[in-house]
Amino acid sequence: MSDFRISADAIDQAAELAALEDTASGAVACFCGRVRNHNEGRAVAGLQYECYEELAVSEGARVIAEAKERFGASRVLCVHRTGDLAIGDAAVWVGVAAAHRNEAFAAARYVIDEVKKRVPIWKREHYPEGPAEWINAP
Amino acid sequence: MSDFRISADAIDQAAELAALEDTASGAVACFCGRVRNHNEGRAVAGLQYECYEELAVSEGARVIAEAKERFGASRVLCVHRTGDLAIGDAAVWVGVAAAHRNEAFAAARYVIDEVKKRVPIWKREHYPEGPAEWINAP
Amino acid sequence: MRGVFVAATLFGLMRIRVDYFAFLRERAGRAHETLDTGAATPRELYRELRERRPLPPGKGLKVAVNDEFRNWDWSLEDGDRVVFMPPVAGG
Amino acid sequence: MRGVFVAATLFGLMRIRVDYFAFLRERAGRAHETLDTGAATPRELYRELRERRPLPPGKGLKVAVNDEFRNWDWSLEDGDRVVFMPPVAGG
């Protein structure tokens, strides 16, 4: 199974964490992005993620390989949701196991930043009032 | 229950994560320090943590209050183990919920750094060979 | 006349599949389409597509050919799958 | 003689509980002890303790009085609980 995955189902953080087990790694840093009930001052009712899966998976795997290479992280996993998400649902999860916390934090930060910049996934926000909108639409 | 806790029992990360639930917070950053099978080039068989609990709890609570104040984190939790730990066991866990990932990462990093610097907890390493040693002993 | 014939031979029509995602899918009114085109590059192809679909200007979009990021002047080949992507918004 | 009497009245012996943790607990050979002392500060108290226990020099240690961090020159009071702490090593 790839270290970067797209999932139409809820993210099981306990299972992801278990997959990071590694007796040589003293530090695990995780990040989870969740659906907030507001964005830029506007109430949000839910989200929808759409993904270009073939390219998302290959670009996501590149991001993870870079994180391992740059920070010497021993394990790096990332999973991103697609489909309809409710408030509080996990949209993306990143987990890193490394020897020390510097590397673990830096690699986790790198992965979430690059995924948000580079991986072809798009978010559509639903609002209590007004039509849904694609974020960053040109 | 205090946001900083000392625990003689295994850390239940799923339960800790659940306690961070907060629909206004889009970002959750976690850190877990685990017992490694080596330290500074030497094989390690296990660890023992001892704690001055009254002061650890009050100092830990101060660290958490500072993290909330400095980074605007909405929820910050930390739990640190005492007693005998085996390789792979979680020794300390930090979880932060915040509106955005900058604040979540910064607050998690602050808490683990300050806990390691300020909270009266001591670690004794057991080795496959040779007597156990208190780390940082004067 | 001769010039046109040579061009048609050397740069004949290619069959290209185009996929649309998210905002572009909604604008195009479809998830994908296959067309026979003389466009030699994604840039030319997008110009052609904009003549028939209410797509936004290409500025800010990214291009993939056969599931790899490519630039706008990449040489297309018969049978290629081309994707024009709005700015990503994951996380 | 009169000077000694006044000192004994004003600065009489206090009952202080001392707790030891980790490396210091092992060196002291006990987790805590209670003593009657004329030491007015943690600094004087530690000097006195080192006369009877194989404790390391105070440099690098921290002091708590009644579960609060205090400096080495804090004024002790009768009934105080004092803890001398090795450098912490959590995490």
Side-chain angles (χ1 to χ4, degrees):
Chain A
M1 191 151 62
S2 170
D3 291 341
F4 181 91
R5 289 172 8 251
I6 294 292
S7 173
D9 303 316
I11 298 173
D12 180 347
Q13 296 187 47
E16 301 298 334
L17 269 178
L20 283 179
E21 289 302 330
D22 170 6
T23 57
S25 297
V28 173
C30 299
F31 175 79
C32 181
R34 303 187 302 191
V35 181
R36 282 185 302 159
N37 58 8
H38 66 282
N39 188 20
E40 295 180 3
R42 186 169 180 188
V44 171
L47 283 190
Q48 171 191 350
Y49 283 99
E50 184 169 329
C51 168
Y52 172 7
E53 186 153 348
E54 296 87 340
L55 185 52
V57 166
S58 61
E59 188 69 3
R62 272 190 286 269
V63 167
I64 284 179
E66 290 162 13
K68 287 182 172 178
E69 168 76 18
R70 287 184 185 215
F71 306 104
S74 51
R75 301 207 184 172
V76 181
L77 299 175
C78 180
V79 52
H80 200 297
R81 277 296 308 276
T82 53
D84 295 316
L85 279 74
I87 303 300
D89 283 356
V92 58
W93 184 90
V94 176
V96 173
H100 301 100
R101 67 191 190 285
N102 267 343
E103 295 87 322
F105 273 107
R109 184 62 202 251
Y110 182 81
V111 170
I112 185 63
D113 286 355
E114 295 298 308
V115 164
K116 286 173 77 93
K117 257 187 271 185
R118 294 162 48 183
V119 175
I121 299 172
W122 299 276
K123 171 163 49 185
R124 191 171 187 239
E125 282 184 353
H126 298 267
Y127 309 103
E129 296 181 38
E133 281 178 20
W134 289 103
I135 303 304
N136 290 353
Chain B
M1 192 149 64
S2 172
D3 291 339
F4 182 92
R5 285 163 20 244
I6 294 294
S7 173
D9 303 315
I11 297 173
D12 179 347
Q13 296 188 45
E16 301 297 335
L17 269 178
L20 282 180
E21 291 301 331
D22 169 6
T23 57
S25 297
V28 172
C30 299
F31 175 80
C32 181
R34 302 188 303 192
V35 180
R36 282 186 303 159
N37 58 8
H38 65 282
N39 188 20
E40 295 179 2
R42 186 170 181 186
V44 171
L47 283 189
Q48 171 191 351
Y49 283 99
E50 183 169 328
C51 167
Y52 172 7
E53 186 154 347
E54 295 88 340
L55 185 51
V57 166
S58 61
E59 188 69 2
R62 271 190 286 269
V63 167
I64 284 179
E66 290 162 13
K68 287 183 172 177
E69 168 77 18
R70 286 185 187 216
F71 305 104
S74 51
R75 299 207 186 173
V76 181
L77 299 175
C78 180
V79 52
H80 200 297
R81 277 295 309 275
T82 53
D84 295 318
L85 279 73
I87 303 300
D89 283 355
V92 59
W93 184 90
V94 177
V96 173
H100 301 101
R101 67 191 190 285
N102 267 343
E103 297 86 322
F105 274 108
R109 184 63 203 252
Y110 181 82
V111 170
I112 185 63
D113 286 355
E114 295 298 309
V115 164
K116 287 173 77 94
K117 257 187 271 183
R118 293 161 48 183
V119 175
I121 299 172
W122 298 275
K123 171 163 47 186
R124 192 172 186 238
E125 283 184 352
H126 297 266
Y127 309 103
E129 297 183 38
E133 281 179 20
W134 288 102
I135 303 303
N136 290 353
Chain C
M1 280 302 286
R2 180 173 166 79
V4 168
F5 176 78
V6 169
T9 303
L10 291 175
F11 309 101
L13 295 184
M14 298 183 293
R15 179 149 293 190
I16 301 285
R17 174 184 163 127
V18 180
D19 284 57
Y20 301 103
F21 290 99
F23 177 70
L24 291 188
R25 179 177 49 70
E26 290 195 349
R27 280 296 193 91
R30 67 209 68 214
H32 56 86
E33 62 184 314
T34 299
L35 62 161
D36 295 320
T37 175
T41 64
R43 189 185 309 281
E44 291 175 21
L45 177 63
Y46 195 69
R47 198 177 296 138
E48 186 181 324
L49 290 167
R50 282 194 78 198
E51 288 168 10
R52 9 178 170 165
R53 315 273 176 229
L55 297 168
K59 191 162 184 297
L61 306 188
K62 290 211 183 285
V63 179
V65 179
N66 301 334
D67 303 333
E68 294 288 349
F69 286 111
R70 300 298 184 195
N71 68 46
W72 286 88
D73 298 312
W74 181 260
S75 288
L76 295 178
E77 296 184 10
D78 188 45
D80 278 353
R81 176 196 191 196
V82 179
V83 182
F84 298 100
M85 292 171 278
V88 305
Chain D
M1 282 299 286
R2 183 174 161 78
V4 169
F5 176 76
V6 169
T9 303
L10 290 175
F11 308 102
L13 295 184
M14 299 183 292
R15 178 150 292 189
I16 300 285
R17 174 182 163 129
V18 179
D19 284 57
Y20 300 103
F21 290 98
F23 178 70
L24 291 188
R25 179 177 49 69
E26 290 195 349
R27 281 297 191 90
R30 68 209 68 214
H32 56 86
E33 63 186 314
T34 298
L35 62 162
D36 294 320
T37 175
T41 65
R43 188 184 310 279
E44 291 176 21
L45 177 62
Y46 195 70
R47 197 178 296 138
E48 185 180 324
L49 289 166
R50 283 195 77 199
E51 287 168 10
R52 10 178 169 166
R53 314 274 177 229
L55 297 168
K59 193 164 183 298
L61 305 188
K62 289 210 181 288
V63 178
V65 179
N66 301 333
D67 302 333
E68 294 288 348
F69 286 112
R70 299 299 184 195
N71 67 48
W72 287 89
D73 298 312
W74 181 261
S75 289
L76 295 178
E77 295 184 10
D78 188 45
D80 278 352
R81 177 197 190 194
V82 179
V83 182
F84 298 101
M85 293 171 277
V88 304

